[in-house]
Amino acid sequence: MKRTISVLVENKAGVLSRVSGLFARRGFNINSLAVGETEDPAVSRMTIVSDGDEHTIEQVEKQLNKMIDTLKIKRLEDSSATRRELILIKVGAGTHQRGEVIDIARVFGAKVVDISTTTLTVEHSDRPERIDLLVDLLTPYKIKEVARTGTVALEKGAGTIGYKPKKD
Amino acid sequence: MITGAQALVAALKKQNVNIIFGYPGVAICPFYNELSASGIRHILVRQEQNAGHAASGYARINGRPAVCAATSGPGAVNLITALATAYMDSIPLVAITGQVSSDLLGRDVFQEADITGAAEPFTKYSYLVKDPADIPRIVNEAFYIAGTGRPGPVLIDLPIDIQQAEFDETDVPDAQHLPGYNPTTKGHKGQINRVVSAIKRAKKPLLCIGGGVISANAQNELRTLCETAGLPAVSTMMGLGALPTTHSNYFGMLGTHGHPYANYAVQQADLLIIIGARVGDRAVSAPEALGRRAKIVHIDVDPAEIGKNLGTTIPVVGDAKTVLDQLTQTGAKANCGIWMDDLDDHRRLYRPDLDPRPNGGINPKGFLRTVSLAMENDSIIVGDVGQNQTWTAGNIMMRGGKFLTSGGMGTMGYSIPAAIGAKLADPQRQVVAVCGDGSFQMSMCELATAVQHNVPIKIIVMNNHSLGMVLEYQTQQYNGNHFAVELGSSPDICALAAAYGIPSRCVTDDSQTDEAIRRLLDQPGPALLECRISPDEASR
Ligand SMILES: Cc1ncc(C[n+]2csc(CCOP(=O)(O)OP(=O)(O)O)c2C)c(N)n1
């Protein structure tokens, strides 16, 4: 089962390689990993989607927590988190098929952001499952290239990851 | 203005470092140049791996992080085995490596190695220093990280230009900035209470002591809990000596090479209280079955160890010393007289194989028992790896001293350098290294270190002219197809000792050993005893 883990880490060199090394070394899967700065430039948020049974995910969390650079970690349940992924997808669509591709994009609320005589590039941000569905529907049109960001997520409602910097 | 190298020396002195084990090269020369006049003693080893092992031996006796140093590239890479060994056994080290100039990093210049990357799986944390003004803070953090929580090695990689660069040291703070590092020491009160009621309800409770009890220096707290709560205990190999061997509540060492009565206790217990142990595969071979049979309390300073190999009923995160004390304070008492009697019967009925070999030769188990009894109570025995390790661990009598060995990694060659470090940490205590002829040859170069720095360790080489443990395995698993395990009759170990200027003796029969052991221990300087044994001696 896929689980989403949100991790606040110190924004410094080597952290990403430590995290990915940890996953590789301990045989944990990474389905996706997205990382970027937070409201505090000294802190980055990693959103990691991993799959494994409860025991494995618990180990993932403990090992991540053990890292010196990890500030806070929280598992986000699908039902209580807003999860989004961004995709850019370039499909082969000559004059005949353009209309169909644009129709599909419209149903998803996706944007066509680039066009050439033989291709269309669609941009869309949505729940990861919906992104998968969009890819499925566009597959018949000969997908040339795909770039996905991996999932980012925040808790729904007023709740946060609850990190309070300690005073040094 | 001071240089990075000067800042490093000052920061080490601030941590009360008075000894460094190392091996220089060009990339660490700025630091070595400052070290020369620093008053910090430098022990020049003969191979960087042994600098790490010696620091490990030092740290295990001294209780504080110990320092090893190496140059860039091959020097740093040679250190890795020692870092991995220390990491597996939770030994606090601060390793300092030289590095090529920071403007050349990533270009594969001469003797460049990405040591922070290579050592990442084997270090608790690591730094690649980019600014000399960071050195005071980094050193302060490195010692703190290495020595607190679950101890472990921390690496500081210092490019040569950073060592040379000058900076204005006034107004440079060394305050730690570790917002993500907050080790828990005190056990959660609710969890402690759950442990107490489990102890009260249990018919067959058992404490299982690991190396964490020793690294937390919690021997007294352990003994007090055992005695006041009336709890029986077994230990892992790393937990050996936490209780005296002859303590009435102590029921031996568990595991593949442990005592049968200790394994019986583990198999029969209905409550297992594991303290500072990883539940490694050598200690507990079928953790799933164990978890089904017994309630498991797991006390560890590292939350990631709890539940990793064994399902846990009651997890307690905390330092062994603090948690043991918390448990004693509750006044909990076990109700297990019948169980204790049963364990006692099994212990009494066990007949260790210690008698002299009837047809001549030496019984290694009896010999090592005798060695331990000939030593002073607080002495230090450093075991190597192989059959010699199992003979030593299984038969020495611990009476307040320490047993050091490479438990988690099983690194051959550990004993001699670690013994040198241990002896330097506490020159008053007797230190004996016990190794096989294979492991001896992996670090015999350090005999020169012991002589040059006058470190009076005693070395016992259990010479079976083979890699005994592997030979035994081939006997059992491959129908005696012995391949690549015979070491032949070279070298002549006593002649080798003489070449290094170390007095030595060779014994071949049980009748000679008492006197030879006494003579070995009485030698004022480093000394060696070769003990010839049959390659057919079994580990158990
Ligand atoms: C560095 C290293 N290489 C290989 C091994 C595998 N190994 C484990 S025990 C052993 C034999 C040790 O031989 P020796 O030191 O002579 O001790 P003995 O078993 O004969 O007592 C070997 C090769 C190891 N543990 N460490």
Side-chain angles (χ1 to χ4, degrees):
Chain A
M1 184 172 164
K2 285 189 185 173
R3 327 263 179 156
T4 310
I5 304 169
S6 192
V7 191
L8 294 187
V9 294
E10 286 196 69
N11 183 8
K12 52 181 170 184
V15 181
L16 185 58
S17 97
R18 283 185 170 128
V19 170
S20 55
L22 172 75
F23 273 75
R25 197 155 65 237
R26 299 212 176 251
F28 302 145
N29 290 325
I30 302 184
N31 289 303
S32 73
L33 190 161
V35 55
E37 241 175 62
T38 63
E39 69 280 8
D40 175 354
V43 176
S44 301
R45 182 187 293 266
M46 290 187 180
T47 309
I48 301 172
V49 178
S50 177
D51 64 24
D53 55 20
E54 183 56 34
H55 174 79
T56 309
I57 298 296
E58 217 178 281
Q59 280 302 308
V60 169
E61 291 179 334
K62 282 181 170 177
Q63 294 294 344
L64 283 170
N65 238 328
K66 183 168 159 174
M67 286 186 26
I68 309 280
D69 295 323
T70 303
L71 301 170
K72 184 85 191 191
I73 148 166
K74 190 164 187 179
R75 195 189 306 189
L76 298 175
E77 301 301 338
D78 287 359
S79 55
S80 57
T82 304
R83 296 173 301 123
R84 288 293 178 271
E85 180 167 6
L86 175 69
I87 187 171
L88 291 172
I89 179 165
K90 187 179 288 184
V91 290
T95 32
H96 310 301
Q97 292 170 318
R98 259 185 214 146
E100 292 173 31
V101 172
I102 291 169
D103 281 348
I104 293 171
R106 194 174 296 132
V107 172
F108 277 79
K111 276 191 284 189
V112 174
V113 289
D114 189 45
I115 186 162
S116 77
T117 49
T118 54
T119 62
L120 276 181
T121 301
V122 175
E123 173 200 317
H124 187 49
S125 153
D126 209 331
R127 283 183 289 126
E129 305 79 34
R130 297 255 306 162
I131 299 286
D132 290 341
L133 185 61
L134 176 63
V135 174
D136 284 349
L137 289 170
L138 291 177
T139 301
Y141 301 94
K142 210 165 180 317
I143 294 173
K144 303 250 186 220
E145 241 182 348
V146 166
R148 297 173 71 153
T149 56
T151 305
V152 294
L154 284 181
E155 220 171 310
K156 285 181 185 165
T160 67
I161 195 165
Y163 169 63
K164 289 182 220 71
K166 71 175 176 189
K167 294 170 207 83
D168 311 282
Chain B
M1 300 289 272
I2 61 170
T3 65
Q6 288 165 341
L8 178 57
V9 168
L12 292 171
K13 286 179 122 172
K14 201 167 170 191
Q15 295 293 331
N16 296 315
V17 171
N18 43 37
I19 196 163
I20 291 179
F21 303 90
Y23 206 94
V26 167
I28 191 110
C29 266
F31 170 59
Y32 266 67
N33 191 47
E34 294 305 326
L35 203 55
S36 67
S38 67
I40 297 175
R41 188 172 179 196
H42 182 267
I43 302 296
L44 178 65
V45 294
R46 296 302 187 264
Q47 209 263 32
E48 290 85 352
Q49 178 180 324
N50 299 324
H53 290 331
S56 165
Y58 190 90
R60 291 171 87 158
I61 297 307
N62 178 271
R64 295 248 315 133
V67 183
C68 54
T71 191
S72 70
V77 172
N78 266 351
L79 256 187
I80 292 179
T81 304
L83 294 176
T85 304
Y87 187 68
M88 281 291 256
D89 288 341
S90 312
I91 312 296
L93 300 185
V94 172
I96 297 167
T97 49
Q99 181 55 281
V100 302
S101 191
S102 55
D103 54 314
L104 297 175
L105 277 171
R107 296 216 229 145
D108 298 329
V109 297
F110 181 65
Q111 296 195 331
E112 175 180 359
D114 170 16
I115 189 63
T116 50
E120 166 63 22
F122 313 117
T123 46
K124 188 170 171 186
Y125 201 58
S126 61
Y127 296 89
L128 170 56
V129 186
K130 300 260 176 73
D131 180 348
D134 289 339
I135 289 174
R137 172 184 56 81
I138 285 175
V139 171
N140 189 11
E141 289 178 0
F143 277 80
Y144 180 66
I145 293 171
T148 54
R150 176 179 182 175
V154 175
L155 172 69
I156 304 175
D157 195 24
L158 273 168
I160 186 167
D161 58 319
I162 303 294
Q163 297 173 53
Q164 290 160 333
E166 293 198 331
F167 68 103
D168 181 0
E169 78 277 24
T170 50
D171 293 339
V172 170
D174 73 346
Q176 295 167 6
H177 177 75
L178 295 168
Y181 182 65
N182 311 293
T184 311
T185 51
K186 212 165 159 201
H188 187 277
K189 207 157 160 245
Q191 297 299 85
I192 298 282
N193 290 337
R194 287 179 66 197
V195 177
V196 170
S197 48
I199 291 176
K200 283 182 187 152
R201 267 200 305 272
K203 290 197 177 65
K204 299 176 174 183
L206 183 69
L207 288 173
C208 171
I209 307 152
V213 172
I214 290 169
S215 67
N217 198 19
Q219 291 91 331
N220 289 338
E221 288 75 8
L222 170 69
R223 194 170 173 161
T224 308
L225 178 70
C226 279
E227 288 168 5
T228 57
L231 282 166
V234 296
S235 80
T236 66
M237 186 170 71
M238 293 299 289
L240 218 56
L243 279 178
T245 311
T246 53
H247 194 285
S248 56
N249 295 42
Y250 179 64
F251 293 94
M253 180 177 86
L254 57 73
T256 329
H257 297 292
H259 298 115
Y261 53 94
N263 288 326
Y264 169 81
V266 175
Q267 295 306 319
Q268 295 295 314
D270 64 357
L271 173 67
L272 209 56
I273 305 172
I274 302 166
I275 314 173
R278 296 183 300 125
V279 201
D281 56 325
R282 286 293 163 105
V284 175
S285 50
E288 304 80 13
L290 194 64
R292 277 195 297 276
R293 241 183 356 254
K295 264 196 176 150
I296 308 288
V297 172
H298 198 164
I299 303 165
D300 206 293
V301 72
D302 178 2
E305 282 307 332
I306 300 177
K308 187 175 81 180
N309 297 335
L310 179 63
T312 301
T313 325
I314 310 174
V316 183
V317 179
D319 173 72
K321 197 179 180 81
T322 314
V323 175
L324 284 165
D325 196 45
Q326 285 177 287
L327 285 170
T328 303
Q329 295 306 323
T330 63
K333 290 231 175 340
N335 228 318
C336 61
I338 302 170
W339 166 235
M340 281 282 236
D341 290 345
D342 180 33
L343 293 179
D344 200 32
D345 287 343
H346 278 80
R347 183 173 55 188
R348 230 168 344 98
L349 289 173
Y350 174 64
R351 286 275 156 267
D353 161 33
L354 298 171
D355 296 334
R357 294 283 173 254
N359 305 321
I362 291 176
N363 175 348
K365 298 172 204 135
F367 169 77
L368 287 161
R369 165 73 55 95
T370 312
V371 169
S372 71
L373 289 173
M375 293 174 73
E376 284 155 17
N377 284 353
D378 68 347
S379 57
I380 298 158
I381 298 180
V382 190
D384 217 289
V385 170
Q387 289 186 305
N388 62 85
Q389 185 184 40
T390 68
W391 293 325
T392 309
N395 297 291
I396 53 175
M397 300 297 279
M398 299 298 298
R399 294 155 295 161
K402 277 197 172 166
F403 173 63
L404 314 182
T405 195
S406 163
M409 190 56 76
T411 307
M412 283 172 68
Y414 180 76
S415 66
I416 293 175
I420 291 174
K423 185 71 184 175
L424 286 163
D426 193 346
Q428 303 309 317
R429 287 158 82 173
Q430 283 181 332
V431 178
V432 168
V434 180
C435 50
D437 50 323
S439 35
F440 172 76
Q441 290 183 68
M442 276 212 183
S443 56
M444 66 188 189
C445 54
E446 300 307 327
L447 295 184
T449 309
V451 171
Q452 187 182 20
H453 298 278
N454 191 24
V455 192
I457 56 165
K458 313 299 174 213
I459 299 163
I460 293 176
V461 184
M462 306 297 289
N463 189 0
N464 53 12
H465 295 108
S466 63
L467 304 175
M469 177 141 276
V470 185
L471 180 140
E472 184 179 30
Y473 186 75
Q474 290 178 345
T475 302
Q476 290 161 358
Q477 304 291 326
Y478 297 95
N479 280 323
N481 182 24
H482 294 155
F483 179 65
V485 290
E486 271 120 26
L487 292 171
S489 55
S490 162
D492 175 338
I493 289 174
C494 288
L496 197 68
Y500 280 103
I502 292 181
S504 68
R505 177 107 189 260
C506 177
V507 287
T508 54
D509 191 273
D510 281 312
S511 61
Q512 307 166 305
T513 56
D514 283 2
E515 194 247 351
I517 292 167
R518 217 173 322 110
R519 293 242 312 250
L520 174 78
L521 295 176
D522 285 346
Q523 287 284 347
L528 182 146
L529 176 59
E530 176 187 358
C531 176
R532 291 263 175 93
I533 50 170
S534 157
D536 300 328
E537 288 285 349
S539 286
R540 301 181 63 133

